[in-house]
Amino acid sequence: MEIITSSKAMQERALQLKKQGYSIGFAPTMGFLHEGHLKLVTQSLQENDVSVMSIFVNPLQFGPNEDFEAYPRDVERDKKLAENAGVNILFLPERTEIYPNEPSFEINVKNRTGVLCGRSRPGHFNGVATILIKLFNIILPDHVYFGMKDAQQVAVVDSLIKDFNFPIELIPVETEREEDGLARSSRNVYLSDEERSQAPHLYKGLQKGSEAIKKGEVNPSSVIHIIENYIKTNTNGKIDYIEILSFPNLDTLEQIHGKIIIALAVKFSKARLIDNIILEIHS
Amino acid sequence: MEIITSSKAMQERALQLKKQGYSIGFAPTMGFLHEGHLKLVTQSLQENDVSVMSIFVNPLQFGPNEDFEAYPRDVERDKKLAENAGVNILFLPERTEIYPNEPSFEINVKNRTGVLCGRSRPGHFNGVATILIKLFNIILPDHVYFGMKDAQQVAVVDSLIKDFNFPIELIPVETEREEDGLARSSRNVYLSDEERSQAPHLYKGLQKGSEAIKKGEVNPSSVIHIIENYIKTNTNGKIDYIEILSFPNLDTLEQIHGKIIIALAVKFSKARLIDNIILEIHS
């Protein structure tokens, strides 16, 4: 596995690969890799000549009271996991390589962000859009791989690529779960033992909601109440949001129909977890 | 000359050219072509395998009280001029090809815009940045050509390319002038005969300022007064601004030194003209 730390060297390498006619698959990560990240690589390897992973904890997408400093990091372990997964090039820039100066441009994401994490993390997706424009231009991928656990990120990247005409195809990859159903997340390490045993109930709650919808419930509030009660009964987590929206437009719904997302965020003592289910309802 | 009107077809053509190993030079324009635009093409032809010109009057970079509707257009004449200049591909999209929906993202240009045209045209460079990110991704150029008449645009594009890591080299091209010194501009057609005879004094005023600096004047205000008096005496135009700044950072200067720009904007009855001189002063 090739490790590149300079933006210029990475871009030159990508340009060289493109000139040689190779396709590039790209999985952007913030490191502390888990099965979910590695699954992105597995799929990229199947669909591209060269697979690039980036590890960069992007300060711009953390709010002032969020966990940028505390975000888990273990670069040496990540290098081994990436190499074992088959990553061809690991892009591992320092902060000064990505932001040598204060950025001259601010990106304001107007659509698909007034809901879900966009509402509880103002500015988060502006930071995500900024780093992705940069990474797309440095790595020049044909395909980019994003996990569906952050479904809103997938929705925003979808519109970023379309709105700015990037010559890139977005490949959303299904959420990777522990055996008990908990969505894999770098932040899971911050759960206490008790919280870890409760955390699978987030997904179980989503499944309860999904079952109700499949049985014919069309009222979003009723479904949300089912999930809310289930999570309150089975965990000590503090519900940040439970929402049912159209996907990928993330519009609010009077009635449940079409392609929809049931998404939630729950705060435990040191970790805020997110999860979702997407389903298609044709009445 | 190939004419392409669809964004998708243009991008596919560009990807195909890149795969074949061709370099692409790109001159973005708003049409109503004059010698200044054609000079961009001439230089692009010398430095690239394929030269692309775009013609698109970008609504996003016009303010609500500006001349978007009145901006001069003559596509049939432009096609002939572009073909004669040697343009290989003319990208001529309709508005709906570029903005099929309301944009989901706003770009806010924070640096280099609180001065010159950025101050008198709020939002202008946000619109410029938006269209350029799109055009860069559609046309995938190796080199982009911009005229130095809009020096602030050159400065903003310089930081756009660096900040977002576009794999593109910016080539600023010297301002093309009429024989009497007036900078070529699509808006010159809106000058009355009297204004047209006065307009060369904008450049003459800049030259007066430049001479004073070369003779040792280091105080920006003194130089600005010289230019201001000259223009007020010799034209009926209304001065929008006369400024002396560092270039390309566009910082204000206590004392004139290093690489600087003397720039002005003057409003005539139906046309607002800009011009500038860049010079390097080593004391």
Side-chain angles (χ1 to χ4, degrees):
Chain A
M1 185 179 68
E2 203 176 327
I3 298 179
I4 300 180
T5 57
S6 132
S7 297
K8 196 163 149 26
M10 181 66 236
Q11 188 178 57
E12 279 168 7
R13 188 80 177 86
L15 285 167
Q16 183 195 39
L17 289 166
K18 306 292 280 186
K19 266 201 182 145
Q20 293 169 321
Y22 293 123
S23 61
I24 299 177
F26 172 41
T29 84
M30 299 209 301
F32 212 72
L33 302 176
H34 53 67
E35 290 300 321
H37 299 112
L38 303 178
K39 197 172 169 183
L40 307 180
V41 175
T42 306
Q43 191 160 341
S44 171
L45 286 165
Q46 287 163 11
E47 298 169 353
N48 302 275
D49 298 317
V50 177
S51 290
V52 181
M53 173 186 274
S54 67
I55 297 182
F56 181 65
V57 185
N58 175 34
L60 247 61
Q61 70 193 65
F62 288 81
N65 299 317
E66 291 182 3
D67 58 351
F68 173 68
E69 294 300 337
Y71 196 85
R73 290 163 172 90
D74 188 344
V75 174
E76 290 313 312
R77 181 173 154 277
D78 285 348
K79 282 181 191 172
K80 283 177 205 137
L81 288 170
E83 178 145 34
N84 291 341
V87 167
N88 302 112
I89 302 176
L90 182 64
F91 179 48
L92 200 63
E94 291 290 330
R95 181 170 177 162
T96 50
E97 271 298 317
I98 296 295
Y99 303 114
N101 308 302
E102 192 67 19
S104 303
F105 297 84
E106 254 169 19
I107 310 275
N108 178 19
V109 190
K110 296 190 297 178
N111 293 349
R112 303 183 174 180
T113 53
V115 294
L116 309 176
C117 294
R119 184 159 48 202
S120 42
R121 303 184 68 186
H124 169 68
F125 286 108
N126 299 347
V128 170
T130 305
I131 186 69
L132 288 180
I133 295 180
K134 289 171 70 70
L135 290 174
F136 289 173
N137 282 337
I138 292 169
I139 289 158
L140 305 171
D142 298 275
H143 302 105
V144 288
Y145 297 82
F146 286 86
M148 275 304 293
K149 184 181 58 107
D150 194 340
Q152 189 171 20
Q153 178 170 266
V154 168
V156 169
V157 175
D158 172 67
S159 81
L160 184 78
I161 287 174
K162 286 180 186 150
D163 257 52
F164 287 126
N165 303 84
F166 278 97
I168 297 176
E169 194 184 342
L170 166 63
I171 318 277
V173 178
E174 217 182 301
T175 303
E176 187 68 19
R177 300 183 179 280
E178 306 284 350
E179 282 191 12
D180 58 15
L182 174 63
R184 303 254 185 183
S185 166
S186 303
R187 291 180 171 105
N188 289 350
V189 293
Y190 288 129
L191 297 170
S192 70
D193 288 348
E194 195 193 355
E195 288 171 342
R196 176 64 190 79
S197 71
Q198 294 172 355
H201 288 295
L202 271 49
Y203 186 49
K204 292 211 179 82
L206 290 169
Q207 287 175 311
K208 297 277 175 208
S210 173
E211 282 159 25
I213 293 169
K214 284 176 186 163
K215 277 183 196 151
E217 181 58 68
V218 293
N219 183 352
S221 306
S222 311
V223 179
I224 289 168
H225 278 302
I226 291 168
I227 304 171
E228 193 179 344
N229 288 336
Y230 182 87
I231 289 175
K232 282 185 175 166
T233 310
N234 292 285
T235 82
N236 298 323
K238 187 172 166 281
I239 294 169
D240 183 354
Y241 63 75
I242 303 172
E243 291 185 63
I244 300 178
L245 304 164
S246 71
F247 191 85
N249 276 350
L250 307 185
D251 293 324
T252 52
L253 297 166
E254 300 267 310
Q255 273 215 336
I256 294 169
H257 66 97
K259 193 170 183 183
I260 62 134
I261 181 169
I262 321 173
L264 54 75
V266 174
K267 282 182 182 169
F268 289 96
S269 55
K270 285 183 181 171
R272 176 179 169 282
L273 303 185
I274 58 174
D275 202 352
N276 67 78
I277 286 181
I278 288 177
L279 66 167
E280 205 147 352
I281 300 302
H282 297 289
S283 48
Chain B
M1 184 179 69
E2 204 176 326
I3 297 179
I4 301 181
T5 57
S6 132
S7 298
K8 196 161 151 25
M10 181 66 236
Q11 188 178 57
E12 278 167 9
R13 189 79 178 85
L15 284 167
Q16 182 196 38
L17 289 165
K18 308 291 281 184
K19 266 200 182 147
Q20 293 169 321
Y22 294 122
S23 61
I24 299 177
F26 173 41
T29 84
M30 299 208 300
F32 212 72
L33 302 176
H34 53 67
E35 289 300 322
H37 298 113
L38 303 178
K39 197 173 169 182
L40 306 179
V41 175
T42 306
Q43 191 159 339
S44 172
L45 286 165
Q46 286 163 12
E47 297 169 353
N48 301 276
D49 299 318
V50 177
S51 291
V52 181
M53 174 186 274
S54 67
I55 296 182
F56 181 65
V57 185
N58 175 34
L60 247 60
Q61 69 193 65
F62 287 81
N65 298 317
E66 292 181 5
D67 57 352
F68 173 69
E69 294 299 337
Y71 196 85
R73 290 162 173 91
D74 188 343
V75 174
E76 290 314 312
R77 182 173 154 276
D78 285 347
K79 283 183 190 170
K80 282 178 204 136
L81 287 169
E83 177 144 36
N84 291 340
V87 167
N88 303 113
I89 302 176
L90 181 64
F91 179 49
L92 200 63
E94 291 290 330
R95 182 171 178 160
T96 50
E97 271 299 316
I98 295 294
Y99 303 114
N101 308 302
E102 192 67 20
S104 301
F105 298 84
E106 254 169 19
I107 310 275
N108 179 17
V109 190
K110 295 191 298 178
N111 292 349
R112 304 182 174 181
T113 51
V115 292
L116 309 177
C117 294
R119 184 159 48 201
S120 41
R121 302 184 69 186
H124 168 66
F125 287 108
N126 300 347
V128 170
T130 305
I131 186 69
L132 288 180
I133 295 179
K134 290 170 69 70
L135 290 174
F136 289 173
N137 283 336
I138 292 169
I139 289 159
L140 306 171
D142 298 276
H143 302 103
V144 288
Y145 297 82
F146 285 87
M148 277 302 294
K149 184 179 59 108
D150 195 340
Q152 188 170 21
Q153 178 169 267
V154 168
V156 169
V157 175
D158 172 67
S159 81
L160 183 79
I161 287 175
K162 286 181 187 150
D163 257 51
F164 286 126
N165 303 85
F166 278 97
I168 297 176
E169 193 183 342
L170 167 63
I171 318 277
V173 177
E174 217 184 300
T175 303
E176 186 68 19
R177 300 183 180 280
E178 305 284 349
E179 282 190 10
D180 57 16
L182 174 63
R184 302 255 186 183
S185 165
S186 303
R187 290 180 171 107
N188 289 349
V189 292
Y190 288 129
L191 297 171
S192 69
D193 288 349
E194 195 193 354
E195 289 170 342
R196 177 64 190 79
S197 71
Q198 294 172 354
H201 288 296
L202 270 49
Y203 186 50
K204 292 211 178 82
L206 290 169
Q207 286 175 312
K208 297 278 175 208
S210 173
E211 283 159 23
I213 292 169
K214 284 176 185 161
K215 278 182 192 150
E217 182 58 68
V218 293
N219 182 352
S221 304
S222 310
V223 179
I224 288 167
H225 278 302
I226 292 168
I227 304 170
E228 194 179 345
N229 288 336
Y230 183 87
I231 288 176
K232 282 187 175 166
T233 311
N234 291 286
T235 81
N236 299 324
K238 187 169 164 282
I239 293 170
D240 184 353
Y241 64 75
I242 303 172
E243 290 185 64
I244 299 179
L245 303 164
S246 71
F247 191 84
N249 276 350
L250 306 185
D251 294 324
T252 52
L253 297 166
E254 299 267 310
Q255 273 215 338
I256 294 169
H257 67 96
K259 192 170 184 183
I260 61 134
I261 181 169
I262 321 173
L264 54 74
V266 174
K267 282 183 182 168
F268 290 95
S269 54
K270 286 185 183 170
R272 175 179 169 281
L273 303 185
I274 58 175
D275 202 352
N276 67 79
I277 286 180
I278 288 178
L279 65 168
E280 204 146 354
I281 299 300
H282 297 291
S283 48

